Structure formats: structure tokens, C-alpha cells
Amino acid sequence: MSQNTLLDTPFIPSESTLNPVFDPQEFDRYVMQTYGRFPIAMERGQGCRLWDTQGKEYLDFVAGIATCTLGHAHPTLIATVTQQIQKLHHVSNFYYIPEQGALAKWIVDHSCADRVFFCNSGAEANEAAIKLIRKYAHTVLDFLEKPVILTAKASFHGRTLATVTATGQPKYQQDFDPLVPGFAYVPYNDIKAVENAIADLDEGNSRVAAIMLEPLQGEGGIRPGQLDYFLRLRKICDENSILLVFDEVQVGVGRSGKLWGYEHLGVEPDIFTSAKGLAGGIPIGAMMCKEFCNVFTPGTHASTFGGNPFVCASALTVLQTIEKENILQNVQQRGEQLRSRLRAIASAYPNLFTDVRGWGLINGIELSETISLTSLDIVKAAMEEGLLLAPAGPKVLRFVPPLIVSEAEVDQAAKLLEKVVAKLNV
Ligand SMILES: *Cc1c(COP(=O)(O)O)cnc(C)c1O
């Protein structure tokens, strides 16, 4: 066998690959215009700080939208991805992948789930959940012909056709008709609406097979689930053989101050999903279920990239770091600190702000409906001052920093917001 010359003379990545020139006009000529982007580009990050190509420094309270759990350039994550890619980064699920097994075991040991399926994003994890619900309904649950999945208004479950249908916000569904059949919507935190929908949708061989909800609505405006609502919901699901499914894509993996958002609600889901923060910014999705609804068999669902050695080692490192470094305690303390500062700002400007809410390090401050100012206006003004924030709908500002954020950084973020608001409130 001849020597592999490619290995003998490794190609050094070019300067244009590692440091491409930032030119927004050139960018917009080639990339589809699916995002309203700010005209800046980030060049590097460290902890909760980012620097753009102009050298301007930002305090990052977006974290890749609740994704960079350990912040930027975390030494443990760097060591893991470097060592794993040197050893093995991708093989097919034709073979056993020990890193995938270890990650699944960690999740099962630290949650109410018995089984895990791996994919690459939140939407994909929710797709897997929707398929599992339907297979369970067709094969176990009264052999239902037309199972209905109940979701909440103002929810967010992703952008694929089925998950955008599950998303109870018409603005995301516009122009994508025909949507996927088998979904119905109820207002969030309203138990009477659930009871009515279950009764209304029960006809022939069709009925509600699952209720799919976020423990705290993220995108829809940082709305925490209410304890009494979820306790009643669990009871209703048990009495009517309905699966309770939680979308933990944004709130899971420690962001809420507990490992999983459902731990705030006194109930366990039958199925739940995770993605955003799970591997700290390396793309991953996961769908978890209890043994009784573990109805997937070989060939029923799959993903080429799903659960590869690289991403699973990354996720396991993120989870072990959360545990070893007592990060949940930091999330709880920094969350309290942030909410108390936001409440002080809100009460100083009652004409601007109407509410502060959240769990751990997923928090929102709501803008008054009586003023024309939107969350995007404040996001832009904050960016000028070096603070990165994200909107959660037109009237809610979202604060989702890395879970390692320090007391000094929360203090700095609050001071920057005070400065922004003082300037705006003319
Ligand atoms: C972001 C999000 C999704 C979609 O995740 P993607 O990785 O963008 O597909 C789904 N559900 C919730 C609750 C989310 O916040």
C-alpha cells in the first residue's frame, strides 16, 4: 500500500479561511436573507466578553441565544474538542459510539428519562418527539388514526414544517401552507382551555394524544409556567392517557437554576427535548423519553450526524463542568441579583417597563404597550454601549448570559442598561 501523501504534507489552513475579511455587502450577495442582522461581526470571545472586527468590546448577555453555557473559549471545552477531534470526530451510527452512550447515561442518571435519541438542533429534537408521539398513538394509544398534539399560543418549537406548525405564533407560519395536520392551540397557563380542547377534539378515531409545552416560554416573551397549572395538567394527562411533552430546548441544561426546567413545576414529563445549551455551542439536539413510550425501533428514526463522538464528548464536558464547578448555584445567585437590579430599573421607569420575570439566568423585562419603543430599539441602544441583549418578541428584552457570568459582570450589565434607559427616557 502506498503512503498517504496528504498526511505526509498537511495543508496549513489559509489566512483567508481562518480570518475571512468582513464585508457585509459581499456577504449579502451570497447568503440567503433569512435574518435581520446587525452590521457587525464578532471576531473572538473570552468568557462573557466578545470583540468585534473593529476591536469593540461587548458584554455578552445573549450567549448565542442561551447556547454558550460555559461562555466563550472555556479551557475545558477547548481541551475536550481538541483531543476528541485528534482521536475521532465522526463515524456513522452503523457502529456503537461510546461517547454517545456515556452522554445518554449522564442524562438518564440526572433526569426523569430512561432513553435518549441524539440529533443536531432544537427543531430536530422536537421533530423526533412529534414522530415518537405519533408512533406511540398509532401503535399503543387506542391505535388512534388521527392523534392531535396540543401546543400553546405564543410558544416556539422551531422552524421545520412540523415544528413551525407546533409553534403557536401565526407570524412564523405565514406563507408556509399547507401546514402539518394534527395540531391545535391553547393559551398558556390556562387549565380550563386545556380541558375544553380535550373535550372538543374528541371525535371518532381522533383525540388529543399529547400536550407539548415549554416549562417557561422563551421566544414568546419569557413567561414561566405556573406550578398549579402544571400539577393539574399532569393529572389530566394521566387520567386521559395523554403524553405530557416538554420542550426544554432553551430552558434546560441549568439555565433555569435547576438542571431541567420541569424541576420548577413539580411534575415529570413523559418526553422532553434539549438542544441550545447542551454542548455549549457545538450543534446538538436530544429527545428523551420514559421507557413506557420508548416505541422507536431500528429504522424508524435516524440522523447522520446525530450523537457523533465529537459533539457527545463536548456535551458531556459541559454537563460535567456544570456539576463539578457548582454552576447551578451561580445561576441561582446571579439570577436573583439580575432580577433585583431589573426590578429596580423597572420601578424607576414605570412608564417604560411593566414587568420583570424569569428563572435563573433566563430573564425578561417587559416594555409598556403604551409606548412605541420596541425591544429591538433597546437592543440596538444597548449594543452601542457594549451590552448584547436579545429580544423575546416585540415587547420583551431577554437576558440569557453564559451560566458562568460573574457578580461583577451582572453588575456591569445592569449599569449599562441604566445608562441606556436614562438616555432613551427623554
Ligand atoms: C430555539 C428553540 C427551538 C429551536 O431550536 P433550533 O436549534 O433553532 O432548531 C425550539 N424550541 C425552543 C423552546 C427554543 O427556544
Side-chain angles (χ1 to χ4, degrees):
M1 228 181 175
S2 66
Q3 283 283 320
N4 186 338
T5 52
L6 283 177
L7 282 181
D8 290 345
T9 53
F11 175 73
I12 313 257
S14 69
E15 180 63 15
S16 63
T17 299
L18 294 179
N19 283 309
V21 175
F22 169 51
D23 179 343
Q25 269 130 38
E26 188 79 349
F27 184 100
D28 287 340
R29 269 177 51 196
Y30 298 108
V31 178
M32 283 194 197
Q33 303 288 292
T34 61
Y35 303 95
R37 295 177 197 269
F38 301 109
I40 54 170
M42 298 305 168
E43 193 168 73
R44 67 189 177 89
Q46 182 68 61
C48 297
R49 314 236 161 220
L50 283 168
W51 288 268
D52 71 12
T53 48
Q54 306 294 305
K56 183 175 160 79
E57 182 179 315
Y58 301 88
L59 186 56
D60 184 11
F61 271 51
V62 176
I65 314 188
T67 293
C68 301
T69 307
L70 304 180
H72 304 279
H74 191 284
T76 315
L77 191 56
I78 292 173
T80 303
V81 300
T82 308
Q83 288 173 36
Q84 187 62 49
I85 206 161
Q86 283 168 343
K87 195 168 73 158
L88 184 69
H89 73 294
H90 179 81
V91 289
S92 166
N93 282 297
F94 280 150
Y95 318 110
Y96 278 83
I97 299 172
E99 295 82 0
Q100 188 181 125
L103 176 59
K105 180 177 191 309
W106 197 99
I107 294 172
V108 166
D109 286 347
H110 294 79
S111 76
C112 64
D114 299 311
R115 297 277 172 174
V116 189
F117 170 83
F118 291 107
C119 50
N120 316 287
S121 69
E124 229 187 305
N126 289 334
E127 284 276 346
I130 292 165
K131 283 181 74 176
L132 189 72
I133 292 163
R134 288 202 173 170
K135 188 166 164 67
Y136 180 77
H138 289 307
T139 61
V140 181
L141 204 65
D142 308 342
F143 302 94
L144 279 178
E145 252 165 44
K146 290 184 175 168
V148 176
I149 300 173
L150 216 54
T151 67
K153 292 181 178 167
S155 60
F156 186 83
H157 299 295
R159 301 296 201 123
T160 62
L161 200 55
T163 59
V164 91
T165 306
T167 294
Q169 300 194 57
K171 70 171 178 183
Y172 291 119
Q173 300 168 341
Q174 169 112 39
D175 295 333
F176 297 121
D177 286 334
L179 298 174
V180 175
F183 289 89
Y185 313 94
V186 285
Y188 192 61
N189 278 334
D190 180 346
I191 203 71
K192 199 83 209 130
V194 170
E195 289 168 348
N196 291 342
I198 291 169
D200 292 349
L201 293 162
D202 192 347
E203 52 180 289
N205 216 342
S206 177
R207 69 170 179 84
V208 173
I211 302 175
M212 180 166 156
L213 297 168
E214 294 157 89
L216 169 154
Q217 288 192 323
E219 207 72 29
I222 317 292
R223 279 169 226 289
Q226 287 166 6
L227 190 69
D228 55 342
Y229 171 73
F230 276 89
L231 290 172
R232 288 287 304 280
L233 205 60
R234 182 67 267 182
K235 200 156 170 284
I236 289 171
C237 286
D238 291 340
E239 288 166 1
N240 296 278
S241 300
I242 293 171
L243 294 169
L244 185 57
V245 183
F246 286 169
D247 178 344
E248 295 249 3
V249 168
Q250 189 161 173
V251 80
V253 194
R255 179 146 299 276
S256 73
K258 297 184 187 286
L259 191 58
W260 306 109
Y262 70 77
E263 295 172 47
H264 290 264
L265 299 172
V267 297
E268 290 183 354
D270 303 311
I271 298 172
F272 69 102
T273 56
S274 176
K276 285 190 167 82
L278 183 54
I282 314 287
I284 188 171
M287 188 265 293
M288 280 59 73
C289 77
K290 296 207 173 190
E291 195 59 45
F292 81 91
C293 53
N294 171 33
V295 292
F296 280 164
T297 50
T300 49
H301 197 48
S303 164
T304 299
F305 290 124
N308 82 17
F310 179 78
V311 69
C312 288
S314 307
L316 195 53
T317 272
V318 168
L319 294 169
Q320 287 171 340
T321 305
I322 289 175
E323 205 173 24
K324 280 212 189 82
E325 296 185 5
N326 212 3
I327 284 178
L328 292 184
Q329 194 190 331
N330 188 59
V331 175
Q332 291 157 16
Q333 292 172 350
R334 299 290 73 78
E336 287 291 337
Q337 182 193 353
L338 179 62
R339 278 188 300 280
S340 93
R341 294 294 291 272
L342 293 180
R343 278 192 214 104
I345 294 171
S347 46
Y349 297 94
N351 55 331
L352 262 184
F353 299 112
T354 54
D355 198 16
V356 172
R357 47 182 188 254
W359 290 340
L361 286 172
I362 178 161
N363 293 291
I365 182 165
E366 188 163 47
L367 293 164
S368 168
E369 289 291 341
T370 61
I371 53 163
S372 62
L373 209 67
T374 65
S375 48
L376 197 59
D377 296 328
I378 298 198
V379 166
K380 283 180 187 158
M383 189 178 290
E384 290 286 310
E385 299 296 337
L387 172 64
L388 299 179
L389 299 174
K395 284 290 185 181
V396 178
L397 265 183
R398 170 168 32 176
F399 300 76
V400 282
L403 305 190
I404 56 160
V405 71
S406 70
E407 185 172 359
E409 285 163 337
V410 169
D411 179 59
Q412 192 191 353
K415 285 191 173 124
L416 288 170
L417 185 69
E418 279 162 6
K419 197 170 159 194
V420 167
V421 172
K423 276 191 186 174
L424 281 173
N425 198 38
V426 273

